[in-house]
Amino acid sequence: DGGITQSPKYLFRKEGQNVTLSCEQNLNHDAMYWYRQDPGQGLRLIYYSQIVNDFQKGDIAEGYSVSREKKESFPLTVTSAQKNPTAFYLCASSNQQVTSYNEQFFGPGTRLTVL
Amino acid sequence: GESVGLHLPTLSVQEGDNSIINCAYSNSASDYFIWYKQESGKGPQFIIDIRSNMDKRQGQRVTVLLNKTVKHLSLQIAATQPGDSAVYFCAEKTGGYSTLTFGKGTMLLVSP
């Protein structure tokens, strides 16, 4: 059963704690993305990775960090420096070919709440 | 930076009606557009896409229209069903390896 998995579905964090959200894909996609979604808002790009061991900041990278040690995995760490981390976090992946037009496939999301 | 936006935040229709969801984009360099559907508490699902060299594309019960002159994108859903109730996002891509820019979304409410 191919796709993108995110875990956990719900996550609670105390202020001042770092927390890591998991994202795994078995679609053999080169590119992976992390988005943040706030209520009634669109998706905002946090980080993306086009290839293993490489990643770039998106529009709202401050307070977040990522790693891409394996093609299938792109974990996101929400650090204590993120001022307002409560949100719905979405991971996505896509094929990455210069001449193609690639939809992004999304995972089910992780809802993070800071207590 | 340039962004994608939507005209209507909420659209309410009766079951069986046709629905039209609109989207304005501002980046004339965008060459690819996608519509996503997001149900409550879930990740977005791909509906249909269109390249900038096209002005219309049809899928199953859905049609996307692209008007590059006025930088406008629309999603038409035929015979809307209660299961179509969701938030719909348009997204644009400016070519190459660039990322997608998403609009804020339109909530579609379908009543039986």
Side-chain angles (χ1 to χ4, degrees):
Chain A
D1 196 21
I4 303 175
T5 57
Q6 291 185 242
S7 62
K9 186 172 178 64
Y10 298 97
L11 188 57
F12 298 90
R13 187 194 94 176
K14 292 183 180 179
E15 282 192 35
Q17 287 182 336
N18 292 354
V19 63
T20 298
L21 282 59
S22 169
C23 178
E24 304 278 331
Q25 55 98 1
N26 61 5
L27 301 168
N28 200 34
H29 285 166
D30 288 313
M32 297 186 74
Y33 313 80
W34 273 106
Y35 293 90
R36 170 185 171 132
Q37 186 176 33
D38 293 286
Q41 299 294 316
L43 281 64
R44 292 185 290 167
L45 183 65
I46 304 172
Y47 267 98
Y48 64 103
S49 169
Q50 296 172 349
I51 198 169
V52 174
N53 292 322
D54 187 44
F55 48 82
Q56 289 79 39
K57 292 181 179 180
D59 300 321
I60 55 166
E62 185 176 353
Y64 300 97
S65 65
V66 293
S67 63
R68 187 84 187 279
E69 297 176 1
K70 298 185 296 182
K71 186 175 184 178
E72 59 270 23
S73 179
F74 190 40
L76 173 75
T77 296
V78 184
T79 74
S80 56
Q82 169 50 234
K83 297 278 188 279
N84 184 21
T86 295
F88 190 48
Y89 289 88
L90 288 158
C91 179
S93 71
S94 69
N95 279 321
Q96 196 76 323
Q97 300 171 32
V98 174
T99 58
S100 66
Y101 297 83
N102 307 309
E103 65 175 282
Q104 293 180 14
F105 294 82
F106 284 85
T110 292
R111 188 166 299 280
L112 173 64
T113 303
V114 174
L115 303 173
Chain B
E2 294 179 298
S3 63
V4 174
L6 296 177
H7 295 307
L8 299 174
T10 304
L11 177 63
S12 297
V13 301
Q14 294 286 324
E15 182 177 3
D17 287 351
N18 295 333
S19 302
I20 300 176
I21 300 171
N22 296 303
C23 176
Y25 67 95
S26 56
N27 191 337
S28 57
S30 295
D31 62 352
Y32 179 56
F33 304 87
I34 307 178
W35 281 100
Y36 283 94
K37 171 186 179 183
Q38 186 179 27
E39 296 176 347
S40 182
K42 297 183 179 180
Q45 295 174 283
F46 173 87
I47 301 173
I48 192 168
D49 58 2
I50 188 168
R51 299 185 189 184
S52 59
N53 61 355
M54 305 168 69
D55 53 21
K56 180 179 180 179
R57 191 166 188 219
Q58 289 184 292
Q60 187 177 14
R61 281 202 306 119
V62 295
T63 300
V64 54
L65 299 178
L66 176 62
N67 185 332
K68 293 182 287 294
T69 302
V70 295
K71 296 178 186 171
H72 185 265
L73 192 69
S74 68
L75 176 70
Q76 300 179 0
I77 304 174
T80 313
Q81 303 167 359
D84 294 327
S85 294
V87 176
Y88 290 79
F89 294 95
C90 62
E92 63 179 327
K93 180 173 177 285
T94 54
Y97 288 132
S98 68
T99 56
L100 292 175
T101 300
F102 286 80
K104 292 186 177 180
T106 292
M107 170 76 80
L108 176 65
L109 299 174
V110 183
S111 50

mmCIF file of all heavy atoms in Angstrom, chain B residues 7-35:
data_model
loop_
_atom_site.group_PDB
_atom_site.id
_atom_site.type_symbol
_atom_site.label_atom_id
_atom_site.label_comp_id
_atom_site.label_asym_id
_atom_site.label_seq_id
_atom_site.Cartn_x
_atom_site.Cartn_y
_atom_site.Cartn_z
ATOM 1 N N HIS B 7 -11.469 34.151 -4.625
ATOM 2 C CA HIS B 7 -12.473 35.187 -4.521
ATOM 3 C C HIS B 7 -13.455 34.919 -3.388
ATOM 4 O O HIS B 7 -13.864 35.846 -2.709
ATOM 5 C CB HIS B 7 -13.229 35.291 -5.838
ATOM 6 C CG HIS B 7 -12.358 35.752 -6.984
ATOM 7 N ND1 HIS B 7 -11.614 36.894 -6.923
ATOM 8 C CD2 HIS B 7 -12.128 35.219 -8.186
ATOM 9 C CE1 HIS B 7 -10.950 37.044 -8.070
ATOM 10 N NE2 HIS B 7 -11.240 36.057 -8.840
ATOM 11 N N LEU B 8 -13.903 33.671 -3.228
ATOM 12 C CA LEU B 8 -14.958 33.356 -2.287
ATOM 13 C C LEU B 8 -14.463 32.425 -1.209
ATOM 14 O O LEU B 8 -14.049 31.312 -1.466
ATOM 15 C CB LEU B 8 -16.126 32.680 -3.011
ATOM 16 C CG LEU B 8 -16.813 33.487 -4.100
ATOM 17 C CD1 LEU B 8 -17.842 32.638 -4.822
ATOM 18 C CD2 LEU B 8 -17.489 34.720 -3.518
ATOM 19 N N PRO B 9 -14.552 32.811 0.054
ATOM 20 C CA PRO B 9 -14.134 31.921 1.122
ATOM 21 C C PRO B 9 -15.101 30.766 1.361
ATOM 22 O O PRO B 9 -14.693 29.712 1.766
ATOM 23 C CB PRO B 9 -14.080 32.829 2.334
ATOM 24 C CG PRO B 9 -14.979 33.973 2.018
ATOM 25 C CD PRO B 9 -14.917 34.163 0.546
ATOM 26 N N THR B 10 -16.416 30.943 1.156
ATOM 27 C CA THR B 10 -17.403 29.891 1.380
ATOM 28 C C THR B 10 -18.417 29.884 0.255
ATOM 29 O O THR B 10 -18.893 30.927 -0.149
ATOM 30 C CB THR B 10 -18.139 30.098 2.714
ATOM 31 O OG1 THR B 10 -17.188 30.176 3.768
ATOM 32 C CG2 THR B 10 -19.097 28.957 2.982
ATOM 33 N N LEU B 11 -18.722 28.686 -0.225
ATOM 34 C CA LEU B 11 -19.706 28.511 -1.271
ATOM 35 C C LEU B 11 -20.706 27.453 -0.827
ATOM 36 O O LEU B 11 -20.313 26.327 -0.523
ATOM 37 C CB LEU B 11 -19.033 28.076 -2.578
ATOM 38 C CG LEU B 11 -19.932 27.784 -3.770
ATOM 39 C CD1 LEU B 11 -20.667 29.054 -4.176
ATOM 40 C CD2 LEU B 11 -19.133 27.230 -4.939
ATOM 41 N N SER B 12 -21.971 27.811 -0.750
ATOM 42 C CA SER B 12 -23.021 26.873 -0.353
ATOM 43 C C SER B 12 -23.893 26.553 -1.552
ATOM 44 O O SER B 12 -24.381 27.463 -2.216
ATOM 45 C CB SER B 12 -23.875 27.480 0.759
ATOM 46 O OG SER B 12 -23.098 27.709 1.913
ATOM 47 N N VAL B 13 -24.092 25.260 -1.807
ATOM 48 C CA VAL B 13 -24.897 24.829 -2.953
ATOM 49 C C VAL B 13 -25.810 23.695 -2.529
ATOM 50 O O VAL B 13 -25.613 23.057 -1.492
ATOM 51 C CB VAL B 13 -24.006 24.373 -4.139
ATOM 52 C CG1 VAL B 13 -23.097 25.496 -4.595
ATOM 53 C CG2 VAL B 13 -23.211 23.134 -3.782
ATOM 54 N N GLN B 14 -26.807 23.441 -3.354
ATOM 55 C CA GLN B 14 -27.707 22.317 -3.149
ATOM 56 C C GLN B 14 -27.163 21.106 -3.903
ATOM 57 O O GLN B 14 -26.523 21.240 -4.958
ATOM 58 C CB GLN B 14 -29.099 22.647 -3.687
ATOM 59 C CG GLN B 14 -29.816 23.760 -2.945
ATOM 60 C CD GLN B 14 -30.322 23.310 -1.593
ATOM 61 O OE1 GLN B 14 -30.754 22.171 -1.436
ATOM 62 N NE2 GLN B 14 -30.259 24.204 -0.620
ATOM 63 N N GLU B 15 -27.438 19.942 -3.366
ATOM 64 C CA GLU B 15 -27.038 18.701 -4.045
ATOM 65 C C GLU B 15 -27.611 18.686 -5.460
ATOM 66 O O GLU B 15 -28.776 19.022 -5.672
ATOM 67 C CB GLU B 15 -27.561 17.511 -3.247
ATOM 68 C CG GLU B 15 -27.173 16.159 -3.836
ATOM 69 C CD GLU B 15 -27.658 14.998 -2.982
ATOM 70 O OE1 GLU B 15 -28.348 15.242 -1.959
ATOM 71 O OE2 GLU B 15 -27.346 13.844 -3.322
ATOM 72 N N GLY B 16 -26.776 18.337 -6.407
ATOM 73 C CA GLY B 16 -27.215 18.278 -7.795
ATOM 74 C C GLY B 16 -26.871 19.527 -8.595
ATOM 75 O O GLY B 16 -26.840 19.481 -9.832
ATOM 76 N N ASP B 17 -26.614 20.645 -7.874
ATOM 77 C CA ASP B 17 -26.217 21.868 -8.571
ATOM 78 C C ASP B 17 -24.796 21.715 -9.113
ATOM 79 O O ASP B 17 -24.033 20.854 -8.681
ATOM 80 C CB ASP B 17 -26.230 23.059 -7.610
ATOM 81 C CG ASP B 17 -27.638 23.491 -7.255
ATOM 82 O OD1 ASP B 17 -28.602 22.983 -7.883
ATOM 83 O OD2 ASP B 17 -27.774 24.336 -6.352
ATOM 84 N N ASN B 18 -24.449 22.606 -10.026
ATOM 85 C CA ASN B 18 -23.063 22.717 -10.457
ATOM 86 C C ASN B 18 -22.371 23.779 -9.589
ATOM 87 O O ASN B 18 -22.968 24.808 -9.267
ATOM 88 C CB ASN B 18 -22.982 23.116 -11.931
ATOM 89 C CG ASN B 18 -23.554 22.039 -12.842
ATOM 90 O OD1 ASN B 18 -23.557 20.855 -12.494
ATOM 91 N ND2 ASN B 18 -24.051 22.438 -13.999
ATOM 92 N N SER B 19 -21.135 23.514 -9.222
ATOM 93 C CA SER B 19 -20.375 24.446 -8.387
ATOM 94 C C SER B 19 -19.216 25.030 -9.181
ATOM 95 O O SER B 19 -18.607 24.327 -9.999
ATOM 96 C CB SER B 19 -19.813 23.721 -7.161
ATOM 97 O OG SER B 19 -20.838 23.140 -6.398
ATOM 98 N N ILE B 20 -18.932 26.288 -8.914
ATOM 99 C CA ILE B 20 -17.773 26.923 -9.540
ATOM 100 C C ILE B 20 -16.959 27.595 -8.451
ATOM 101 O O ILE B 20 -17.462 28.451 -7.715
ATOM 102 C CB ILE B 20 -18.189 27.978 -10.583
ATOM 103 C CG1 ILE B 20 -19.023 27.320 -11.694
ATOM 104 C CG2 ILE B 20 -16.944 28.645 -11.173
ATOM 105 C CD1 ILE B 20 -19.555 28.311 -12.710
ATOM 106 N N ILE B 21 -15.716 27.203 -8.343
ATOM 107 C CA ILE B 21 -14.790 27.781 -7.369
ATOM 108 C C ILE B 21 -13.723 28.537 -8.139
ATOM 109 O O ILE B 21 -13.132 28.000 -9.084
ATOM 110 C CB ILE B 21 -14.161 26.689 -6.486
ATOM 111 C CG1 ILE B 21 -15.261 25.939 -5.737
ATOM 112 C CG2 ILE B 21 -13.163 27.286 -5.508
ATOM 113 C CD1 ILE B 21 -14.773 24.711 -4.998
ATOM 114 N N ASN B 22 -13.482 29.771 -7.742
ATOM 115 C CA ASN B 22 -12.585 30.645 -8.482
ATOM 116 C C ASN B 22 -11.267 30.880 -7.760
ATOM 117 O O ASN B 22 -11.177 30.770 -6.539
ATOM 118 C CB ASN B 22 -13.259 31.991 -8.730
ATOM 119 C CG ASN B 22 -14.470 31.865 -9.603
ATOM 120 O OD1 ASN B 22 -14.384 31.370 -10.723
ATOM 121 N ND2 ASN B 22 -15.624 32.268 -9.109
ATOM 122 N N CYS B 23 -10.275 31.239 -8.535
ATOM 123 C CA CYS B 23 -8.941 31.484 -7.999
ATOM 124 C C CYS B 23 -8.241 32.513 -8.888
ATOM 125 O O CYS B 23 -8.269 32.392 -10.115
ATOM 126 C CB CYS B 23 -8.166 30.173 -7.973
ATOM 127 S SG CYS B 23 -6.462 30.300 -7.456
ATOM 128 N N ALA B 24 -7.649 33.522 -8.269
ATOM 129 C CA ALA B 24 -6.863 34.498 -9.007
ATOM 130 C C ALA B 24 -5.397 34.274 -8.698
ATOM 131 O O ALA B 24 -5.045 34.016 -7.548
ATOM 132 C CB ALA B 24 -7.267 35.911 -8.623
ATOM 133 N N TYR B 25 -4.563 34.349 -9.695
ATOM 134 C CA TYR B 25 -3.129 34.236 -9.456
ATOM 135 C C TYR B 25 -2.438 35.467 -10.009
ATOM 136 O O TYR B 25 -2.970 36.145 -10.899
ATOM 137 C CB TYR B 25 -2.565 32.941 -10.062
ATOM 138 C CG TYR B 25 -2.581 32.867 -11.570
ATOM 139 C CD1 TYR B 25 -1.476 33.230 -12.318
ATOM 140 C CD2 TYR B 25 -3.710 32.401 -12.243
ATOM 141 C CE1 TYR B 25 -1.478 33.158 -13.696
ATOM 142 C CE2 TYR B 25 -3.730 32.331 -13.622
ATOM 143 C CZ TYR B 25 -2.620 32.699 -14.344
ATOM 144 O OH TYR B 25 -2.633 32.632 -15.717
ATOM 145 N N SER B 26 -1.272 35.753 -9.466
ATOM 146 C CA SER B 26 -0.617 37.001 -9.864
ATOM 147 C C SER B 26 0.706 36.799 -10.579
ATOM 148 O O SER B 26 1.237 37.749 -11.166
ATOM 149 C CB SER B 26 -0.390 37.883 -8.633
ATOM 150 O OG SER B 26 0.357 37.174 -7.663
ATOM 151 N N ASN B 27 1.237 35.572 -10.572
ATOM 152 C CA ASN B 27 2.541 35.341 -11.186
ATOM 153 C C ASN B 27 2.366 34.880 -12.633
ATOM 154 O O ASN B 27 1.971 33.738 -12.882
ATOM 155 C CB ASN B 27 3.318 34.295 -10.379
ATOM 156 C CG ASN B 27 4.765 34.196 -10.789
ATOM 157 O OD1 ASN B 27 5.127 34.564 -11.912
ATOM 158 N ND2 ASN B 27 5.603 33.683 -9.909
ATOM 159 N N SER B 28 2.645 35.756 -13.556
ATOM 160 C CA SER B 28 2.455 35.423 -14.968
ATOM 161 C C SER B 28 3.428 34.347 -15.447
ATOM 162 O O SER B 28 3.241 33.764 -16.503
ATOM 163 C CB SER B 28 2.605 36.669 -15.833
ATOM 164 O OG SER B 28 3.872 37.258 -15.618
ATOM 165 N N ALA B 29 4.469 34.065 -14.652
ATOM 166 C CA ALA B 29 5.436 33.031 -15.023
ATOM 167 C C ALA B 29 4.977 31.636 -14.620
ATOM 168 O O ALA B 29 5.601 30.642 -14.996
ATOM 169 C CB ALA B 29 6.787 33.324 -14.377
ATOM 170 N N SER B 30 3.898 31.535 -13.892
ATOM 171 C CA SER B 30 3.411 30.226 -13.459
ATOM 172 C C SER B 30 3.005 29.395 -14.660
ATOM 173 O O SER B 30 2.292 29.874 -15.546
ATOM 174 C CB SER B 30 2.232 30.379 -12.503
ATOM 175 O OG SER B 30 2.652 31.009 -11.318
ATOM 176 N N ASP B 31 3.458 28.151 -14.698
ATOM 177 C CA ASP B 31 3.195 27.325 -15.879
ATOM 178 C C ASP B 31 2.402 26.068 -15.559
ATOM 179 O O ASP B 31 2.170 25.236 -16.432
ATOM 180 C CB ASP B 31 4.510 26.964 -16.565
ATOM 181 C CG ASP B 31 5.430 26.145 -15.669
ATOM 182 O OD1 ASP B 31 5.120 25.983 -14.474
ATOM 183 O OD2 ASP B 31 6.469 25.672 -16.167
ATOM 184 N N TYR B 32 2.003 25.929 -14.315
ATOM 185 C CA TYR B 32 1.299 24.711 -13.929
ATOM 186 C C TYR B 32 0.426 25.035 -12.739
ATOM 187 O O TYR B 32 0.866 25.706 -11.799
ATOM 188 C CB TYR B 32 2.328 23.638 -13.581
ATOM 189 C CG TYR B 32 1.803 22.304 -13.124
ATOM 190 C CD1 TYR B 32 0.925 21.574 -13.901
ATOM 191 C CD2 TYR B 32 2.220 21.761 -11.918
ATOM 192 C CE1 TYR B 32 0.474 20.325 -13.488
ATOM 193 C CE2 TYR B 32 1.778 20.521 -11.495
ATOM 194 C CZ TYR B 32 0.905 19.804 -12.284
ATOM 195 O OH TYR B 32 0.463 18.576 -11.874
ATOM 196 N N PHE B 33 -0.810 24.547 -12.763
ATOM 197 C CA PHE B 33 -1.770 24.832 -11.709
ATOM 198 C C PHE B 33 -2.446 23.541 -11.286
ATOM 199 O O PHE B 33 -2.709 22.662 -12.115
ATOM 200 C CB PHE B 33 -2.826 25.825 -12.214
ATOM 201 C CG PHE B 33 -2.242 27.104 -12.733
ATOM 202 C CD1 PHE B 33 -1.839 27.205 -14.057
ATOM 203 C CD2 PHE B 33 -2.071 28.198 -11.899
ATOM 204 C CE1 PHE B 33 -1.285 28.376 -14.548
ATOM 205 C CE2 PHE B 33 -1.519 29.380 -12.374
ATOM 206 C CZ PHE B 33 -1.120 29.461 -13.701
ATOM 207 N N ILE B 34 -2.709 23.459 -9.995
ATOM 208 C CA ILE B 34 -3.330 22.259 -9.448
ATOM 209 C C ILE B 34 -4.489 22.658 -8.541
ATOM 210 O O ILE B 34 -4.405 23.653 -7.817
ATOM 211 C CB ILE B 34 -2.327 21.429 -8.607
ATOM 212 C CG1 ILE B 34 -1.055 21.134 -9.378
ATOM 213 C CG2 ILE B 34 -2.971 20.120 -8.150
ATOM 214 C CD1 ILE B 34 -0.027 20.367 -8.559
ATOM 215 N N TRP B 35 -5.524 21.874 -8.560
ATOM 216 C CA TRP B 35 -6.610 21.977 -7.580
ATOM 217 C C TRP B 35 -6.535 20.788 -6.632
ATOM 218 O O TRP B 35 -6.400 19.639 -7.070
ATOM 219 C CB TRP B 35 -7.978 21.989 -8.255
ATOM 220 C CG TRP B 35 -8.361 23.312 -8.839
ATOM 221 C CD1 TRP B 35 -8.279 23.686 -10.154
ATOM 222 C CD2 TRP B 35 -8.898 24.437 -8.140
ATOM 223 N NE1 TRP B 35 -8.725 24.973 -10.309
ATOM 224 C CE2 TRP B 35 -9.118 25.465 -9.094
ATOM 225 C CE3 TRP B 35 -9.210 24.694 -6.804
ATOM 226 C CZ2 TRP B 35 -9.627 26.712 -8.749
ATOM 227 C CZ3 TRP B 35 -9.729 25.927 -6.465
ATOM 228 C CH2 TRP B 35 -9.934 26.920 -7.420
#
